């Protein structure tokens, strides 16, 4: 892994770890070829604002990439999260394709993936526009930065009430607003990997003038892996 440059940041009141690894794979062109070969991607059925192609064991080249990513990331996960072993839950290639005007209220605000602190997101930026990235947040009225079993009901109830106050033309969140304070951000750089707890409030940084193309040769393309520490 020559050339890899890891960084550990700690965000918010709990000093939650976020790992950043530049030049992670050293094989960006090969990975782009793999991702482009799986197009077209189907629409995502959850709140993700775009397309997501789940990677399965039958996707030989893509599955090999996923296994390599887990192996390469293991040392950083162990160091930052004190997890010596983890299980892969899901992996996909993803594209943000929903224009700001077409977002649903939940898509306009920061979100969380799980209340499980051992559930980690590995986000590999592949083809990303300048000004894109990932931001982390605190819910202003509750102070929640990380969603847990004990505060999830309060967070959801408050988030729904806040979403009802947003204007109909509100797009992707940028920086802080009246409901959420941005507590950290990571710029999207090709071949940069970031690792964070899925329970942290987070949102994609989506420039309003970005291409929302569904073609992985043109649009915002990432690989998204979810793992859980054993």
């Amino acid at each position: 892994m020559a050339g890899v440059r890891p960084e550990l940041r700690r965000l918010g009141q709990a000093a939650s770890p976020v790992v950043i690894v530049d030049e992670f794979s050293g094989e960006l062109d090969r990975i782009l070829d793999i991702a482009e070969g799986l197009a077209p991607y189907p629409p995502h059925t959850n709140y993700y604002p775009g397309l997501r192609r789940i990677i399965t064991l039958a996707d030989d080249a893509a599955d090999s990439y996923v296994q390599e990513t887990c192996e390469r990331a293991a040392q950083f996960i162990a160091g930052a999260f004190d997890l010596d072993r983890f299980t892969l839950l899901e992996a996909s290639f993803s594209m943000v394709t929903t224009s700001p005007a077409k977002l649903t209220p939940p898509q306009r605000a920061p979100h969380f993936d799980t209340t499980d602190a051992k559930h980690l997101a590995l986000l590999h930026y592949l083809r990303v526009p300048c000004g894109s990235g990932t931001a982390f947040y605190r819910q202003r009225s509750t102070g929640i930065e990380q969603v847990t079993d004990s505060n999830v009901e309060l967070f959801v109830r408050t988030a729904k009430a806040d979403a009802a106050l947003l204007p109909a033309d509100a797009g992707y969140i940028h920086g802080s607003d009246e409901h959420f304070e941005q507590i950290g951000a990571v710029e999207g750089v090709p071949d940069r990997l970031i690792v964070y707890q899925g329970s942290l409030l987070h949102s994609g940084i989506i420039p309003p003038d970005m291409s929302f193309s569904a073609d992985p040769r043109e649009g915002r393309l990432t690989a998204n892996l979810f793992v859980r520490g054993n």
Side-chain angles (χ1 to χ4, degrees), residues 127-229:
R127 178 173 283 117
V128 286
C130 180
S132 181
T134 303
F136 299 89
Y137 288 88
R138 174 187 301 119
Q139 191 177 47
R140 289 187 185 275
S141 60
T142 65
I144 293 172
E145 301 171 349
Q146 188 166 13
V147 181
T148 65
D149 288 341
S150 62
N151 67 22
V152 62
E153 291 186 7
L154 174 61
F155 170 78
V156 171
R157 182 171 65 250
T158 304
K160 286 182 176 179
D162 290 345
L165 301 176
L166 290 174
D169 59 350
Y172 292 93
I173 187 169
H174 287 272
S176 301
D177 65 12
E178 62 269 35
H179 305 301
F180 292 94
E181 177 186 358
Q182 182 176 298
I183 60 174
V186 179
E187 180 184 1
V189 175
D191 207 22
R192 168 177 282 180
L193 180 85
I194 67 172
V195 186
Y196 56 91
Q197 292 166 298
S199 53
L200 294 178
L201 292 178
H202 59 280
S203 181
I205 301 173
I206 307 299
D209 58 350
M210 187 185 84
S211 168
F212 292 92
S213 171
D215 186 341
R217 295 170 297 183
E218 299 177 1
R220 182 185 189 272
L221 174 66
T222 62
N224 300 70
L225 283 65
F226 297 101
V227 305
R228 188 187 186 282

Side-chain angles (χ1 to χ4, degrees), residues 17-32:
V18 175
V19 175
I20 304 168
V21 188
D22 285 339
E23 301 178 26
F24 174 73
S25 74
E27 300 180 299
L28 183 59
D29 288 342
R30 179 180 71 89
I31 298 167
L32 287 171

Side-chain angles (χ1 to χ4, degrees), residues 47-164:
Y47 292 117
Y48 185 78
L51 313 178
R52 181 163 281 172
R53 172 56 160 86
I54 300 297
I55 298 170
T56 70
L57 292 175
D59 301 313
D60 292 339
D63 182 63
S64 294
Y65 155 69
V66 170
Q67 299 305 319
E68 292 165 6
T69 297
C70 289
E71 291 171 6
R72 288 171 172 163
Q75 62 178 302
F76 308 114
I77 290 173
F81 300 95
D82 196 25
L83 296 173
D84 293 329
R85 294 185 300 168
F86 57 84
T87 300
L88 176 69
L89 303 177
E90 183 182 277
S92 64
F93 290 118
S94 304
M95 300 189 67
V96 173
T97 58
T98 305
S99 66
K102 295 183 179 180
L103 294 176
T104 63
Q107 293 172 328
R108 299 176 185 142
H111 65 279
F112 67 101
D113 303 322
T114 175
T115 59
D116 185 348
K118 290 187 177 182
H119 185 293
L120 305 180
L122 284 67
L123 174 57
H124 193 187
Y125 300 107
L126 300 178
R127 178 173 283 117
V128 286
C130 180
S132 181
T134 303
F136 299 89
Y137 288 88
R138 174 187 301 119
Q139 191 177 47
R140 289 187 185 275
S141 60
T142 65
I144 293 172
E145 301 171 349
Q146 188 166 13
V147 181
T148 65
D149 288 341
S150 62
N151 67 22
V152 62
E153 291 186 7
L154 174 61
F155 170 78
V156 171
R157 182 171 65 250
T158 304
K160 286 182 176 179
D162 290 345

